[in-house]
Amino acid sequence: LMLWLVCGTLLLGGSLLLLLPWLVQCPLRSKTVVLVVLGSGGHTTEMFYALKTLDWAKFEPVYVVADTDKGSAKKAAAFEAQHQRTEKLFSVPRAREVGQSYFTSICTTLWAFVMSVAVVWKVNPHLILCNGPGTCIPIAAAGLLFRALGAQSAK
């Protein structure tokens, strides 16, 4: 009987240890976390038109902007202020600046991807909304990477 109790305790404890990382990264949340990637200029305007249609009682928005895009960050703050919320905002490096050579953009895109992986891991979104390629590609790639690895299930 004692052997069964020890084995059962070890089995249960081992199972909990295996589930611990999942429980830490996937806390129970009452709202759907949406990672909203804002491009610059017209892409940001288009995104806010789409966001106006959502029922924000069910969604928790978290914004990502390029580190050189101050206009989109201000628009996110204004949008959240209209809904009596404080914006949650992350910035990532731009994958490619306008006019940057394609050769040097390889390095900047890789750096943007590394930083995007950190943001997607921290936010652990249920859904990633993006348009406009510059900032979106690394974020979308990070989401797909975690999904392929089974670490997260962002759609």
Side-chain angles (χ1 to χ4, degrees):
L1 180 64
M2 188 64 149
L3 181 62
W4 282 105
L5 287 174
V6 170
C7 289
T9 303
L10 289 175
L11 185 61
L12 181 61
S15 298
L16 289 176
L17 284 176
L18 289 174
L19 289 174
L20 187 60
W22 181 82
L23 291 172
V24 168
Q25 80 175 24
C26 297
L28 295 176
R29 297 178 277 193
S30 60
K31 293 184 177 184
T32 300
V33 176
V34 180
L35 187 61
V36 180
V37 185
L38 300 175
S40 55
H43 292 116
T44 295
T45 303
E46 290 171 349
M47 184 60 76
F48 282 114
Y49 279 129
L51 293 177
K52 288 178 185 176
T53 65
L54 295 177
D55 178 5
W56 287 106
K58 298 177 184 176
F59 297 98
E60 178 184 336
V62 179
Y63 299 94
V64 176
V65 298
D67 56 5
T68 57
D69 184 7
K70 304 304 179 209
S72 294
K74 288 178 184 175
K75 287 181 181 179
F79 184 79
E80 290 301 304
Q82 286 176 338
H83 297 90
Q84 289 85 32
R85 296 186 304 254
T86 304
E87 82 279 1
K88 295 175 186 164
L89 184 75
F90 290 90
S91 65
V92 294
R94 223 181 257 278
R96 181 176 178 268
E97 294 289 343
V98 176
Q100 182 180 358
S101 76
Y102 291 113
F103 181 72
T104 60
S105 70
I106 294 169
C107 294
T108 55
T109 299
L110 288 174
W111 179 242
F113 175 71
V114 168
M115 298 306 289
S116 296
V117 164
V119 169
V120 172
W121 180 258
K122 184 170 183 156
V123 173
N124 189 16
H126 295 102
L127 176 68
I128 298 174
L129 281 179
C130 55
N131 72 346
T135 309
C136 292
I137 288 176
I139 292 286
L144 287 172
L145 172 69
F146 286 131
R147 189 171 182 189
L149 295 174
Q152 294 180 349
S153 62
K155 301 201 182 333

PDB file of all heavy atoms in Angstrom, residues 47-82:
ATOM      1  N   MET A  47      -6.749  49.654 -39.539  1.00  0.00           N
ATOM      2  CA  MET A  47      -6.881  48.772 -38.382  1.00  0.00           C
ATOM      3  C   MET A  47      -7.885  49.337 -37.384  1.00  0.00           C
ATOM      4  O   MET A  47      -8.715  48.601 -36.849  1.00  0.00           O
ATOM      5  CB  MET A  47      -5.520  48.565 -37.714  1.00  0.00           C
ATOM      6  CG  MET A  47      -5.557  47.580 -36.562  1.00  0.00           C
ATOM      7  SD  MET A  47      -6.100  45.917 -37.010  1.00  0.00           S
ATOM      8  CE  MET A  47      -4.630  45.316 -37.801  1.00  0.00           C
ATOM      9  N   PHE A  48      -7.851  50.631 -37.143  1.00  0.00           N
ATOM     10  CA  PHE A  48      -8.794  51.208 -36.183  1.00  0.00           C
ATOM     11  C   PHE A  48     -10.225  51.183 -36.707  1.00  0.00           C
ATOM     12  O   PHE A  48     -11.161  51.063 -35.920  1.00  0.00           O
ATOM     13  CB  PHE A  48      -8.363  52.603 -35.740  1.00  0.00           C
ATOM     14  CG  PHE A  48      -7.260  52.553 -34.714  1.00  0.00           C
ATOM     15  CD1 PHE A  48      -6.007  53.030 -35.013  1.00  0.00           C
ATOM     16  CD2 PHE A  48      -7.479  51.991 -33.472  1.00  0.00           C
ATOM     17  CE1 PHE A  48      -4.984  52.960 -34.079  1.00  0.00           C
ATOM     18  CE2 PHE A  48      -6.474  51.919 -32.523  1.00  0.00           C
ATOM     19  CZ  PHE A  48      -5.217  52.405 -32.837  1.00  0.00           C
ATOM     20  N   TYR A  49     -10.412  51.267 -38.016  1.00  0.00           N
ATOM     21  CA  TYR A  49     -11.758  51.076 -38.572  1.00  0.00           C
ATOM     22  C   TYR A  49     -12.258  49.672 -38.248  1.00  0.00           C
ATOM     23  O   TYR A  49     -13.416  49.474 -37.877  1.00  0.00           O
ATOM     24  CB  TYR A  49     -11.779  51.297 -40.086  1.00  0.00           C
ATOM     25  CG  TYR A  49     -11.833  52.744 -40.499  1.00  0.00           C
ATOM     26  CD1 TYR A  49     -10.931  53.248 -41.427  1.00  0.00           C
ATOM     27  CD2 TYR A  49     -12.783  53.617 -39.973  1.00  0.00           C
ATOM     28  CE1 TYR A  49     -10.962  54.584 -41.816  1.00  0.00           C
ATOM     29  CE2 TYR A  49     -12.829  54.941 -40.350  1.00  0.00           C
ATOM     30  CZ  TYR A  49     -11.921  55.419 -41.266  1.00  0.00           C
ATOM     31  OH  TYR A  49     -11.952  56.742 -41.635  1.00  0.00           O
ATOM     32  N   ALA A  50     -11.392  48.680 -38.376  1.00  0.00           N
ATOM     33  CA  ALA A  50     -11.770  47.299 -38.061  1.00  0.00           C
ATOM     34  C   ALA A  50     -12.009  47.120 -36.557  1.00  0.00           C
ATOM     35  O   ALA A  50     -12.953  46.438 -36.147  1.00  0.00           O
ATOM     36  CB  ALA A  50     -10.686  46.340 -38.538  1.00  0.00           C
ATOM     37  N   LEU A  51     -11.179  47.738 -35.738  1.00  0.00           N
ATOM     38  CA  LEU A  51     -11.307  47.583 -34.287  1.00  0.00           C
ATOM     39  C   LEU A  51     -12.592  48.180 -33.742  1.00  0.00           C
ATOM     40  O   LEU A  51     -13.125  47.707 -32.734  1.00  0.00           O
ATOM     41  CB  LEU A  51     -10.101  48.217 -33.583  1.00  0.00           C
ATOM     42  CG  LEU A  51      -8.751  47.550 -33.809  1.00  0.00           C
ATOM     43  CD1 LEU A  51      -7.652  48.324 -33.102  1.00  0.00           C
ATOM     44  CD2 LEU A  51      -8.773  46.106 -33.353  1.00  0.00           C
ATOM     45  N   LYS A  52     -13.106  49.209 -34.393  1.00  0.00           N
ATOM     46  CA  LYS A  52     -14.347  49.853 -33.929  1.00  0.00           C
ATOM     47  C   LYS A  52     -15.531  48.895 -33.966  1.00  0.00           C
ATOM     48  O   LYS A  52     -16.511  49.096 -33.251  1.00  0.00           O
ATOM     49  CB  LYS A  52     -14.652  51.090 -34.766  1.00  0.00           C
ATOM     50  CG  LYS A  52     -13.720  52.242 -34.484  1.00  0.00           C
ATOM     51  CD  LYS A  52     -14.033  53.422 -35.386  1.00  0.00           C
ATOM     52  CE  LYS A  52     -13.025  54.531 -35.174  1.00  0.00           C
ATOM     53  NZ  LYS A  52     -13.215  55.654 -36.089  1.00  0.00           N
ATOM     54  N   THR A  53     -15.453  47.846 -34.774  1.00  0.00           N
ATOM     55  CA  THR A  53     -16.578  46.930 -34.930  1.00  0.00           C
ATOM     56  C   THR A  53     -16.595  45.825 -33.876  1.00  0.00           C
ATOM     57  O   THR A  53     -17.577  45.094 -33.780  1.00  0.00           O
ATOM     58  CB  THR A  53     -16.554  46.268 -36.326  1.00  0.00           C
ATOM     59  OG1 THR A  53     -15.391  45.446 -36.434  1.00  0.00           O
ATOM     60  CG2 THR A  53     -16.546  47.314 -37.422  1.00  0.00           C
ATOM     61  N   LEU A  54     -15.531  45.680 -33.100  1.00  0.00           N
ATOM     62  CA  LEU A  54     -15.449  44.586 -32.131  1.00  0.00           C
ATOM     63  C   LEU A  54     -16.153  44.933 -30.825  1.00  0.00           C
ATOM     64  O   LEU A  54     -16.216  46.086 -30.417  1.00  0.00           O
ATOM     65  CB  LEU A  54     -13.989  44.240 -31.842  1.00  0.00           C
ATOM     66  CG  LEU A  54     -13.192  43.674 -33.009  1.00  0.00           C
ATOM     67  CD1 LEU A  54     -11.743  43.453 -32.592  1.00  0.00           C
ATOM     68  CD2 LEU A  54     -13.792  42.377 -33.509  1.00  0.00           C
ATOM     69  N   ASP A  55     -16.669  43.906 -30.171  1.00  0.00           N
ATOM     70  CA  ASP A  55     -17.276  44.054 -28.850  1.00  0.00           C
ATOM     71  C   ASP A  55     -16.151  43.962 -27.817  1.00  0.00           C
ATOM     72  O   ASP A  55     -15.701  42.879 -27.463  1.00  0.00           O
ATOM     73  CB  ASP A  55     -18.302  42.948 -28.620  1.00  0.00           C
ATOM     74  CG  ASP A  55     -18.934  43.015 -27.247  1.00  0.00           C
ATOM     75  OD1 ASP A  55     -18.649  43.966 -26.493  1.00  0.00           O
ATOM     76  OD2 ASP A  55     -19.720  42.099 -26.932  1.00  0.00           O
ATOM     77  N   TRP A  56     -15.693  45.114 -27.328  1.00  0.00           N
ATOM     78  CA  TRP A  56     -14.521  45.153 -26.463  1.00  0.00           C
ATOM     79  C   TRP A  56     -14.800  44.666 -25.054  1.00  0.00           C
ATOM     80  O   TRP A  56     -13.891  44.572 -24.236  1.00  0.00           O
ATOM     81  CB  TRP A  56     -13.886  46.540 -26.484  1.00  0.00           C
ATOM     82  CG  TRP A  56     -13.208  46.732 -27.799  1.00  0.00           C
ATOM     83  CD1 TRP A  56     -13.643  47.512 -28.826  1.00  0.00           C
ATOM     84  CD2 TRP A  56     -12.028  46.092 -28.261  1.00  0.00           C
ATOM     85  NE1 TRP A  56     -12.787  47.399 -29.902  1.00  0.00           N
ATOM     86  CE2 TRP A  56     -11.783  46.531 -29.572  1.00  0.00           C
ATOM     87  CE3 TRP A  56     -11.147  45.180 -27.708  1.00  0.00           C
ATOM     88  CZ2 TRP A  56     -10.704  46.090 -30.326  1.00  0.00           C
ATOM     89  CZ3 TRP A  56     -10.059  44.746 -28.454  1.00  0.00           C
ATOM     90  CH2 TRP A  56      -9.851  45.200 -29.744  1.00  0.00           C
ATOM     91  N   ALA A  57     -16.039  44.308 -24.763  1.00  0.00           N
ATOM     92  CA  ALA A  57     -16.317  43.671 -23.480  1.00  0.00           C
ATOM     93  C   ALA A  57     -15.764  42.246 -23.488  1.00  0.00           C
ATOM     94  O   ALA A  57     -15.509  41.664 -22.440  1.00  0.00           O
ATOM     95  CB  ALA A  57     -17.813  43.657 -23.210  1.00  0.00           C
ATOM     96  N   LYS A  58     -15.565  41.700 -24.684  1.00  0.00           N
ATOM     97  CA  LYS A  58     -15.075  40.321 -24.821  1.00  0.00           C
ATOM     98  C   LYS A  58     -13.585  40.250 -25.160  1.00  0.00           C
ATOM     99  O   LYS A  58     -13.006  39.181 -25.121  1.00  0.00           O
ATOM    100  CB  LYS A  58     -15.854  39.601 -25.920  1.00  0.00           C
ATOM    101  CG  LYS A  58     -17.328  39.477 -25.650  1.00  0.00           C
ATOM    102  CD  LYS A  58     -18.028  38.822 -26.807  1.00  0.00           C
ATOM    103  CE  LYS A  58     -19.526  38.783 -26.581  1.00  0.00           C
ATOM    104  NZ  LYS A  58     -20.230  38.242 -27.747  1.00  0.00           N
ATOM    105  N   PHE A  59     -12.988  41.375 -25.537  1.00  0.00           N
ATOM    106  CA  PHE A  59     -11.610  41.359 -26.022  1.00  0.00           C
ATOM    107  C   PHE A  59     -10.714  42.258 -25.187  1.00  0.00           C
ATOM    108  O   PHE A  59     -11.146  43.295 -24.694  1.00  0.00           O
ATOM    109  CB  PHE A  59     -11.556  41.825 -27.479  1.00  0.00           C
ATOM    110  CG  PHE A  59     -12.287  40.931 -28.425  1.00  0.00           C
ATOM    111  CD1 PHE A  59     -13.575  41.249 -28.836  1.00  0.00           C
ATOM    112  CD2 PHE A  59     -11.707  39.773 -28.897  1.00  0.00           C
ATOM    113  CE1 PHE A  59     -14.267  40.428 -29.706  1.00  0.00           C
ATOM    114  CE2 PHE A  59     -12.391  38.946 -29.760  1.00  0.00           C
ATOM    115  CZ  PHE A  59     -13.665  39.267 -30.170  1.00  0.00           C
ATOM    116  N   GLU A  60      -9.474  41.851 -25.059  1.00  0.00           N
ATOM    117  CA  GLU A  60      -8.457  42.659 -24.392  1.00  0.00           C
ATOM    118  C   GLU A  60      -7.370  42.980 -25.417  1.00  0.00           C
ATOM    119  O   GLU A  60      -6.585  42.106 -25.784  1.00  0.00           O
ATOM    120  CB  GLU A  60      -7.855  41.889 -23.221  1.00  0.00           C
ATOM    121  CG  GLU A  60      -6.766  42.639 -22.499  1.00  0.00           C
ATOM    122  CD  GLU A  60      -6.131  41.797 -21.411  1.00  0.00           C
ATOM    123  OE1 GLU A  60      -6.768  40.859 -20.909  1.00  0.00           O
ATOM    124  OE2 GLU A  60      -4.978  42.089 -21.085  1.00  0.00           O
ATOM    125  N   PRO A  61      -7.323  44.231 -25.899  1.00  0.00           N
ATOM    126  CA  PRO A  61      -6.332  44.558 -26.919  1.00  0.00           C
ATOM    127  C   PRO A  61      -4.950  44.839 -26.323  1.00  0.00           C
ATOM    128  O   PRO A  61      -4.827  45.447 -25.271  1.00  0.00           O
ATOM    129  CB  PRO A  61      -6.898  45.825 -27.565  1.00  0.00           C
ATOM    130  CG  PRO A  61      -7.677  46.464 -26.463  1.00  0.00           C
ATOM    131  CD  PRO A  61      -8.226  45.338 -25.627  1.00  0.00           C
ATOM    132  N   VAL A  62      -3.934  44.339 -27.019  1.00  0.00           N
ATOM    133  CA  VAL A  62      -2.549  44.665 -26.711  1.00  0.00           C
ATOM    134  C   VAL A  62      -1.934  45.107 -28.031  1.00  0.00           C
ATOM    135  O   VAL A  62      -2.050  44.399 -29.037  1.00  0.00           O
ATOM    136  CB  VAL A  62      -1.787  43.448 -26.145  1.00  0.00           C
ATOM    137  CG1 VAL A  62      -0.340  43.807 -25.868  1.00  0.00           C
ATOM    138  CG2 VAL A  62      -2.466  42.925 -24.884  1.00  0.00           C
ATOM    139  N   TYR A  63      -1.324  46.271 -28.046  1.00  0.00           N
ATOM    140  CA  TYR A  63      -0.838  46.860 -29.287  1.00  0.00           C
ATOM    141  C   TYR A  63       0.665  46.652 -29.466  1.00  0.00           C
ATOM    142  O   TYR A  63       1.422  46.670 -28.495  1.00  0.00           O
ATOM    143  CB  TYR A  63      -1.140  48.362 -29.321  1.00  0.00           C
ATOM    144  CG  TYR A  63      -2.619  48.660 -29.262  1.00  0.00           C
ATOM    145  CD1 TYR A  63      -3.247  48.919 -28.057  1.00  0.00           C
ATOM    146  CD2 TYR A  63      -3.379  48.663 -30.417  1.00  0.00           C
ATOM    147  CE1 TYR A  63      -4.609  49.177 -27.998  1.00  0.00           C
ATOM    148  CE2 TYR A  63      -4.742  48.925 -30.365  1.00  0.00           C
ATOM    149  CZ  TYR A  63      -5.349  49.180 -29.159  1.00  0.00           C
ATOM    150  OH  TYR A  63      -6.694  49.431 -29.119  1.00  0.00           O
ATOM    151  N   VAL A  64       1.059  46.499 -30.733  1.00  0.00           N
ATOM    152  CA  VAL A  64       2.470  46.450 -31.115  1.00  0.00           C
ATOM    153  C   VAL A  64       2.670  47.477 -32.213  1.00  0.00           C
ATOM    154  O   VAL A  64       1.911  47.516 -33.188  1.00  0.00           O
ATOM    155  CB  VAL A  64       2.889  45.062 -31.635  1.00  0.00           C
ATOM    156  CG1 VAL A  64       4.324  45.074 -32.107  1.00  0.00           C
ATOM    157  CG2 VAL A  64       2.700  44.005 -30.582  1.00  0.00           C
ATOM    158  N   VAL A  65       3.684  48.322 -32.030  1.00  0.00           N
ATOM    159  CA  VAL A  65       4.039  49.308 -33.048  1.00  0.00           C
ATOM    160  C   VAL A  65       5.530  49.207 -33.316  1.00  0.00           C
ATOM    161  O   VAL A  65       6.286  48.670 -32.505  1.00  0.00           O
ATOM    162  CB  VAL A  65       3.688  50.755 -32.604  1.00  0.00           C
ATOM    163  CG1 VAL A  65       2.201  50.926 -32.390  1.00  0.00           C
ATOM    164  CG2 VAL A  65       4.451  51.146 -31.365  1.00  0.00           C
ATOM    165  N   ALA A  66       5.929  49.737 -34.457  1.00  0.00           N
ATOM    166  CA  ALA A  66       7.356  49.832 -34.751  1.00  0.00           C
ATOM    167  C   ALA A  66       7.963  50.885 -33.837  1.00  0.00           C
ATOM    168  O   ALA A  66       7.321  51.890 -33.523  1.00  0.00           O
ATOM    169  CB  ALA A  66       7.577  50.199 -36.213  1.00  0.00           C
ATOM    170  N   ASP A  67       9.191  50.662 -33.417  1.00  0.00           N
ATOM    171  CA  ASP A  67       9.815  51.605 -32.473  1.00  0.00           C
ATOM    172  C   ASP A  67      10.015  53.000 -33.046  1.00  0.00           C
ATOM    173  O   ASP A  67      10.166  53.955 -32.299  1.00  0.00           O
ATOM    174  CB  ASP A  67      11.124  51.041 -31.917  1.00  0.00           C
ATOM    175  CG  ASP A  67      12.118  50.651 -32.983  1.00  0.00           C
ATOM    176  OD1 ASP A  67      11.862  50.885 -34.184  1.00  0.00           O
ATOM    177  OD2 ASP A  67      13.172  50.093 -32.624  1.00  0.00           O
ATOM    178  N   THR A  68       9.971  53.142 -34.354  1.00  0.00           N
ATOM    179  CA  THR A  68      10.114  54.466 -34.967  1.00  0.00           C
ATOM    180  C   THR A  68       8.765  55.098 -35.321  1.00  0.00           C
ATOM    181  O   THR A  68       8.726  56.182 -35.874  1.00  0.00           O
ATOM    182  CB  THR A  68      10.973  54.379 -36.245  1.00  0.00           C
ATOM    183  OG1 THR A  68      10.364  53.432 -37.139  1.00  0.00           O
ATOM    184  CG2 THR A  68      12.391  53.941 -35.926  1.00  0.00           C
ATOM    185  N   ASP A  69       7.667  54.425 -35.001  1.00  0.00           N
ATOM    186  CA  ASP A  69       6.334  54.891 -35.366  1.00  0.00           C
ATOM    187  C   ASP A  69       5.628  55.503 -34.153  1.00  0.00           C
ATOM    188  O   ASP A  69       4.953  54.807 -33.400  1.00  0.00           O
ATOM    189  CB  ASP A  69       5.515  53.723 -35.928  1.00  0.00           C
ATOM    190  CG  ASP A  69       4.154  54.134 -36.420  1.00  0.00           C
ATOM    191  OD1 ASP A  69       3.861  55.346 -36.457  1.00  0.00           O
ATOM    192  OD2 ASP A  69       3.371  53.235 -36.774  1.00  0.00           O
ATOM    193  N   LYS A  70       5.808  56.788 -33.960  1.00  0.00           N
ATOM    194  CA  LYS A  70       5.198  57.465 -32.808  1.00  0.00           C
ATOM    195  C   LYS A  70       3.723  57.779 -33.046  1.00  0.00           C
ATOM    196  O   LYS A  70       2.931  57.820 -32.114  1.00  0.00           O
ATOM    197  CB  LYS A  70       5.955  58.767 -32.488  1.00  0.00           C
ATOM    198  CG  LYS A  70       7.443  58.579 -32.249  1.00  0.00           C
ATOM    199  CD  LYS A  70       7.722  57.585 -31.157  1.00  0.00           C
ATOM    200  CE  LYS A  70       9.216  57.393 -30.959  1.00  0.00           C
ATOM    201  NZ  LYS A  70       9.587  56.110 -30.471  1.00  0.00           N
ATOM    202  N   GLY A  71       3.335  57.958 -34.304  1.00  0.00           N
ATOM    203  CA  GLY A  71       1.948  58.291 -34.626  1.00  0.00           C
ATOM    204  C   GLY A  71       0.977  57.181 -34.262  1.00  0.00           C
ATOM    205  O   GLY A  71      -0.094  57.436 -33.691  1.00  0.00           O
ATOM    206  N   SER A  72       1.333  55.943 -34.565  1.00  0.00           N
ATOM    207  CA  SER A  72       0.443  54.817 -34.253  1.00  0.00           C
ATOM    208  C   SER A  72       0.303  54.626 -32.749  1.00  0.00           C
ATOM    209  O   SER A  72      -0.774  54.278 -32.257  1.00  0.00           O
ATOM    210  CB  SER A  72       0.972  53.536 -34.895  1.00  0.00           C
ATOM    211  OG  SER A  72       0.902  53.630 -36.301  1.00  0.00           O
ATOM    212  N   ALA A  73       1.386  54.849 -32.006  1.00  0.00           N
ATOM    213  CA  ALA A  73       1.322  54.734 -30.546  1.00  0.00           C
ATOM    214  C   ALA A  73       0.351  55.768 -29.977  1.00  0.00           C
ATOM    215  O   ALA A  73      -0.440  55.463 -29.076  1.00  0.00           O
ATOM    216  CB  ALA A  73       2.716  54.905 -29.951  1.00  0.00           C
ATOM    217  N   LYS A  74       0.378  56.985 -30.522  1.00  0.00           N
ATOM    218  CA  LYS A  74      -0.543  58.028 -30.060  1.00  0.00           C
ATOM    219  C   LYS A  74      -1.988  57.675 -30.400  1.00  0.00           C
ATOM    220  O   LYS A  74      -2.898  57.904 -29.605  1.00  0.00           O
ATOM    221  CB  LYS A  74      -0.175  59.374 -30.688  1.00  0.00           C
ATOM    222  CG  LYS A  74       1.087  59.973 -30.119  1.00  0.00           C
ATOM    223  CD  LYS A  74       1.426  61.284 -30.802  1.00  0.00           C
ATOM    224  CE  LYS A  74       2.744  61.840 -30.289  1.00  0.00           C
ATOM    225  NZ  LYS A  74       3.151  63.053 -31.008  1.00  0.00           N
ATOM    226  N   LYS A  75      -2.203  57.099 -31.593  1.00  0.00           N
ATOM    227  CA  LYS A  75      -3.563  56.711 -31.985  1.00  0.00           C
ATOM    228  C   LYS A  75      -4.089  55.588 -31.095  1.00  0.00           C
ATOM    229  O   LYS A  75      -5.266  55.562 -30.753  1.00  0.00           O
ATOM    230  CB  LYS A  75      -3.592  56.293 -33.450  1.00  0.00           C
ATOM    231  CG  LYS A  75      -3.462  57.467 -34.398  1.00  0.00           C
ATOM    232  CD  LYS A  75      -3.527  57.021 -35.838  1.00  0.00           C
ATOM    233  CE  LYS A  75      -3.361  58.210 -36.770  1.00  0.00           C
ATOM    234  NZ  LYS A  75      -3.397  57.822 -38.182  1.00  0.00           N
ATOM    235  N   ALA A  76      -3.220  54.653 -30.709  1.00  0.00           N
ATOM    236  CA  ALA A  76      -3.637  53.571 -29.812  1.00  0.00           C
ATOM    237  C   ALA A  76      -4.031  54.128 -28.453  1.00  0.00           C
ATOM    238  O   ALA A  76      -5.057  53.726 -27.877  1.00  0.00           O
ATOM    239  CB  ALA A  76      -2.516  52.542 -29.662  1.00  0.00           C
ATOM    240  N   ALA A  77      -3.251  55.082 -27.949  1.00  0.00           N
ATOM    241  CA  ALA A  77      -3.571  55.701 -26.658  1.00  0.00           C
ATOM    242  C   ALA A  77      -4.899  56.446 -26.732  1.00  0.00           C
ATOM    243  O   ALA A  77      -5.728  56.351 -25.814  1.00  0.00           O
ATOM    244  CB  ALA A  77      -2.448  56.639 -26.243  1.00  0.00           C
ATOM    245  N   ALA A  78      -5.122  57.158 -27.819  1.00  0.00           N
ATOM    246  CA  ALA A  78      -6.375  57.901 -27.985  1.00  0.00           C
ATOM    247  C   ALA A  78      -7.566  56.953 -28.100  1.00  0.00           C
ATOM    248  O   ALA A  78      -8.631  57.194 -27.506  1.00  0.00           O
ATOM    249  CB  ALA A  78      -6.301  58.802 -29.217  1.00  0.00           C
ATOM    250  N   PHE A  79      -7.414  55.865 -28.846  1.00  0.00           N
ATOM    251  CA  PHE A  79      -8.487  54.886 -29.013  1.00  0.00           C
ATOM    252  C   PHE A  79      -8.855  54.257 -27.677  1.00  0.00           C
ATOM    253  O   PHE A  79     -10.031  54.107 -27.344  1.00  0.00           O
ATOM    254  CB  PHE A  79      -8.056  53.805 -30.015  1.00  0.00           C
ATOM    255  CG  PHE A  79      -9.115  52.798 -30.328  1.00  0.00           C
ATOM    256  CD1 PHE A  79     -10.131  53.087 -31.219  1.00  0.00           C
ATOM    257  CD2 PHE A  79      -9.096  51.538 -29.733  1.00  0.00           C
ATOM    258  CE1 PHE A  79     -11.116  52.149 -31.516  1.00  0.00           C
ATOM    259  CE2 PHE A  79     -10.060  50.598 -30.022  1.00  0.00           C
ATOM    260  CZ  PHE A  79     -11.080  50.906 -30.917  1.00  0.00           C
ATOM    261  N   GLU A  80      -7.847  53.892 -26.892  1.00  0.00           N
ATOM    262  CA  GLU A  80      -8.102  53.279 -25.589  1.00  0.00           C
ATOM    263  C   GLU A  80      -8.721  54.287 -24.620  1.00  0.00           C
ATOM    264  O   GLU A  80      -9.557  53.929 -23.799  1.00  0.00           O
ATOM    265  CB  GLU A  80      -6.821  52.682 -25.022  1.00  0.00           C
ATOM    266  CG  GLU A  80      -6.358  51.444 -25.776  1.00  0.00           C
ATOM    267  CD  GLU A  80      -7.389  50.335 -25.772  1.00  0.00           C
ATOM    268  OE1 GLU A  80      -7.832  49.910 -24.682  1.00  0.00           O
ATOM    269  OE2 GLU A  80      -7.767  49.880 -26.866  1.00  0.00           O
ATOM    270  N   ALA A  81      -8.295  55.550 -24.703  1.00  0.00           N
ATOM    271  CA  ALA A  81      -8.861  56.582 -23.835  1.00  0.00           C
ATOM    272  C   ALA A  81     -10.353  56.767 -24.119  1.00  0.00           C
ATOM    273  O   ALA A  81     -11.141  57.008 -23.196  1.00  0.00           O
ATOM    274  CB  ALA A  81      -8.110  57.897 -24.025  1.00  0.00           C
ATOM    275  N   GLN A  82     -10.756  56.647 -25.384  1.00  0.00           N
ATOM    276  CA  GLN A  82     -12.173  56.745 -25.743  1.00  0.00           C
ATOM    277  C   GLN A  82     -12.998  55.657 -25.062  1.00  0.00           C
ATOM    278  O   GLN A  82     -14.172  55.833 -24.802  1.00  0.00           O
ATOM    279  CB  GLN A  82     -12.366  56.614 -27.261  1.00  0.00           C
ATOM    280  CG  GLN A  82     -11.951  57.811 -28.053  1.00  0.00           C
ATOM    281  CD  GLN A  82     -12.101  57.542 -29.548  1.00  0.00           C
ATOM    282  OE1 GLN A  82     -12.129  56.397 -29.994  1.00  0.00           O
ATOM    283  NE2 GLN A  82     -12.192  58.611 -30.315  1.00  0.00           N
TER     284      GLN A  82
END
